[in-house]
Amino acid sequence: MAIAQDTGVVKEIVINGNQNIQRDAILATMRTKVGLAYLQATLDQDRKSIEDMGFFQAVDAQARPLEVGNWQIVINVVEFPVIKEIRIVGNAAVPTEEIAAALTFKPGQVYNVKGVQPSVAAIRKVYSDRGFFVQIEEFGPMQDSPTTINVVLLELTVNSVAVQGNTRTKKSVFDHLIKTRAGDPYNVRKWEADLRRIYGTQWFEDVKSVERESETIGKVDLIANVKEARTGMFNVGIQVDPRSNFAGLLKLSDSNFRGTGQNVGINYLQSTQGDGASIDLDYGNPWIDNHDTAMQFSIYSRLVFRFAGTSFGGSSVPTNDDRYTERRTGATLGFARPVRGDELKASASIRMERIDTSHLNTTSTNSFIRQDGDVGVLSLGLTQNKRDVDIEPSRGTWARILVEPGYSNITAVGGAEAANTGLGSSTFLRTNLEYRAYFSSGPPRGRELDAPRKVLAVRARYGVISGRVPFFEQFFAGGSDTIRGYAEDRFWGRQTLLTTVEYRYPIQKAFNAILFVDYGGAWGGYGGVNKFSQSSSPDLHIGYGLGFSFRTPLGPIRLDFGFNDEGGSRTHFLIGTSF
């Protein structure tokens, strides 16, 4: 009997039930054609092909005999309805409009079941791209309203946030550092930023994340497991200073005072070259309000050794007649506040100082520049920080613009400027631009905050001053943080351009070898001092060499061996970090 049915020719194909899907579109999917032999196996395949179009709730395919040897094929379909509305519920982390835009169908189209999986994948990608997690609980026409597509989402949310391992740091500190809150949609990027923020304080040796599924479906418990570091220090010893060679050091500080996040410090430095001590009293509070406004205050009396240790371009140690010192006595008060998440911060600070120079021998050193008096500078800055971590970043960028209007009142003039008594009271405007970028082969650091990594780091700085500026408020270039291989403050002027490229190669977790090239200078300022000739136009210089950085319990240390383009060399020792 089956053989008898599989004989003859298809005379006619009838399609019933289609209202929005064209007949030709249905026929195009079928292998059964008018004029071809009728085969039941082919018709069964055609029925599946029509179902696979995705537009139909039901498909039935039958063959009806006509006259001997001819067949009529009848296709009965039940279309899905035309979509009138897409209803999205359960979303809090991602806007409804963004989810709707990711779907493969829109209102006015016939619902197509084949669009479900691509739409589900698109929704998950929208969430994943933002760092969220979501489950699609329901997707399809509503039973009581078939023209409405119901999309029910279950976002993974935070059940609780906790910190373990802290014995000294108070809970209020973590309330500021951790922005993820119970009840929030769980965002892995936000949580990782919280971990980086904790680690970036340098109050903790290690920060790890523990994520546990809650007993409630769709919720997660987050735990920051920390190991507190030593933040209070009392140091007595000898310090190598890039300006004054050796100095006796007495330092008492705590960067996490009594576990509150506040920093306090007393720094006493007595140079072996005499001329009195340098004293700093510092206080800082990273959160003086609920908007994460930070405050920093310092009062100080510092001794600055201009051109010390170089005999002004020579190789001998300067004599008492050659030394040129500045005593800077004053205070600074500054504030900073995030204006767009953690990436963008605005800052404002004021500095008031009294400058007094000494050791200006009028018989042998009258080419020095003496301008004693008072200065006040207001600094207004905007900083964008997109680095993966602030401590030894491996990816990202950092940029800052700093505008500094200043006022000076020079009351005593001497040396090369003895004849220029007209400086008096004057104003100036100093503008600084700086950009940093970091490149590495791996992705941005997520949970492995201190994992060693090869990094290419670049920095560029430009500054310009308008108005009448005192000698000591110019830009200075040369030395450990500008052009290595040259003496500290070798170049100065009203404009500066400085660029640096470093390749940082980790030898151990806290020990890096660094190849560096510095290029830049300063120009357009006051004239030369002894052998330190200056330029009125851009005259850039190169420094290059090999350096090493160490992270120690007493803080970071940097040692650089630099060579310059004039055939000289210099070793730079710095307590602190590079950029």
Side-chain angles (χ1 to χ4, degrees), residues 171-490:
K171 178 182 179 299
S172 59
V173 170
F174 292 103
D175 289 341
H176 285 285
L177 292 172
I178 298 176
K179 307 302 181 183
T180 301
R181 299 285 187 259
D184 289 349
Y186 174 49
N187 188 317
V188 64
R189 295 181 183 176
K190 185 177 180 180
W191 177 240
E192 288 177 351
D194 292 336
L195 301 177
R196 291 195 298 270
R197 196 178 298 110
I198 296 171
Y199 182 72
T201 63
Q202 302 187 56
W203 305 332
F204 307 94
E205 291 182 13
D206 195 18
V207 181
K208 298 294 184 184
S209 173
V210 178
E211 291 130 280
R212 296 174 179 167
E213 290 186 9
S214 174
E215 294 180 357
T216 304
I217 297 175
K219 292 185 178 291
V220 61
D221 295 315
L222 302 178
I223 301 172
N225 202 339
V226 302
K227 181 180 180 182
E228 290 182 312
R230 175 184 174 188
T231 59
M233 293 187 182
F234 177 70
N235 298 334
V236 178
I238 300 294
Q239 173 177 306
V240 181
D241 185 87
R243 296 181 184 274
S244 59
N245 295 328
F246 290 96
L249 171 70
L250 173 63
K251 185 174 183 179
L252 178 63
S253 67
D254 194 339
S255 61
N256 186 15
F257 181 63
R258 302 184 68 178
T260 62
Q262 301 175 67
N263 68 81
V264 295
I266 301 174
N267 193 32
Y268 179 91
L269 198 67
Q270 176 64 62
S271 169
T272 57
Q273 297 189 26
D275 300 302
S278 295
I279 303 174
D280 289 68
L281 303 176
D282 303 313
Y283 169 76
N285 188 335
W287 310 290
I288 63 174
D289 59 19
N290 292 329
H291 301 286
D292 290 349
T293 302
M295 182 193 74
Q296 187 70 37
F297 174 73
S298 297
I299 185 169
Y300 53 85
S301 179
R302 300 170 183 157
L303 199 62
V304 177
F305 292 83
R306 291 289 178 197
F307 326 119
T310 65
S311 190
F312 317 111
S315 58
S316 61
V317 177
T319 66
N320 287 338
D321 289 338
D322 290 329
R323 290 209 311 272
Y324 173 28
T325 62
E326 292 173 4
R327 169 69 64 177
R328 306 176 76 108
T329 304
T332 62
L333 175 64
F335 299 89
R337 173 184 286 189
V339 294
R340 192 181 65 199
D342 277 347
E343 286 190 358
L344 192 64
K345 288 187 177 182
S347 61
S349 66
I350 187 169
R351 169 171 59 93
M352 303 295 295
E353 284 185 336
R354 171 71 188 184
I355 312 306
D356 292 297
T357 56
S358 60
H359 287 287
L360 292 176
N361 189 306
T362 57
T363 60
S364 63
T365 61
N366 56 10
S367 62
F368 282 110
I369 298 174
R370 176 185 184 184
Q371 293 177 347
D372 293 352
D374 301 311
V375 64
V377 178
L378 175 67
S379 297
L380 303 173
L382 197 62
T383 303
Q384 184 186 64
N385 185 358
K386 293 186 175 182
R387 299 177 294 187
D388 53 358
V389 292
D390 291 340
I391 304 173
E392 296 187 6
S394 65
R395 296 283 297 274
T397 60
W398 184 97
R400 183 180 67 180
I401 179 171
L402 191 64
V403 178
E404 299 180 299
Y407 168 81
S408 65
N409 182 29
I410 303 303
T411 56
V413 181
E417 292 295 308
N420 182 9
T421 58
L423 190 63
S425 298
S426 61
T427 59
F428 59 91
L429 178 65
R430 183 169 49 219
T431 303
N432 294 270
L433 303 172
E434 183 170 351
Y435 178 80
R436 307 172 186 176
Y438 307 85
F439 308 91
S440 65
S441 58
R445 287 190 175 109
R447 309 290 176 90
E448 301 298 324
L449 300 175
D450 58 352
R453 186 175 293 184
K454 302 172 187 176
V455 178
L456 179 68
V458 298
R459 175 178 62 178
R461 288 186 282 179
Y462 174 74
V464 61
I465 301 173
S466 59
R468 302 188 66 187
V469 62
F471 173 76
F472 49 79
E473 288 294 326
Q474 297 176 105
F475 296 110
F476 287 87
S480 58
D481 192 44
T482 51
I483 312 174
R484 285 160 285 191
Y486 281 97
E488 303 295 324
D489 304 336
R490 170 62 182 84

Side-chain angles (χ1 to χ4, degrees), residues 51-125:
E51 288 177 344
D52 289 344
M53 292 177 70
F55 292 110
F56 308 106
Q57 301 179 53
V59 178
D60 180 55
Q62 297 181 5
R64 297 176 179 175
L66 297 176
E67 62 274 15
V68 177
N70 293 322
W71 293 87
Q72 179 191 59
I73 306 300
V74 180
I75 308 294
N76 295 308
V77 297
V78 179
E79 288 183 352
F80 284 111
V82 174
I83 301 169
K84 292 184 178 180
E85 179 188 3
I86 298 176
R87 179 175 177 267
I88 299 172
V89 296
N91 60 305
V94 179
T96 299
E97 297 77 13
E98 189 170 342
I99 296 172
L103 303 180
T104 58
F105 39 71
K106 312 297 178 189
Q109 298 176 349
V110 177
Y111 176 71
N112 189 326
V113 71
K114 290 182 64 178
V116 172
Q117 289 305 318
S119 293
V120 167
I123 293 173
R124 287 175 175 159
K125 184 176 186 305

Side-chain angles (χ1 to χ4, degrees), residues 18 65 114 117 138 161 168 215 276 354 382 492-493 518 576-577:
N18 60 309
K114 290 182 64 178
Q117 289 305 318
E138 183 179 333
V161 181
R168 182 167 177 263
E215 294 180 357
R354 171 71 188 184
L382 197 62
W492 59 81
D518 302 325
T577 60

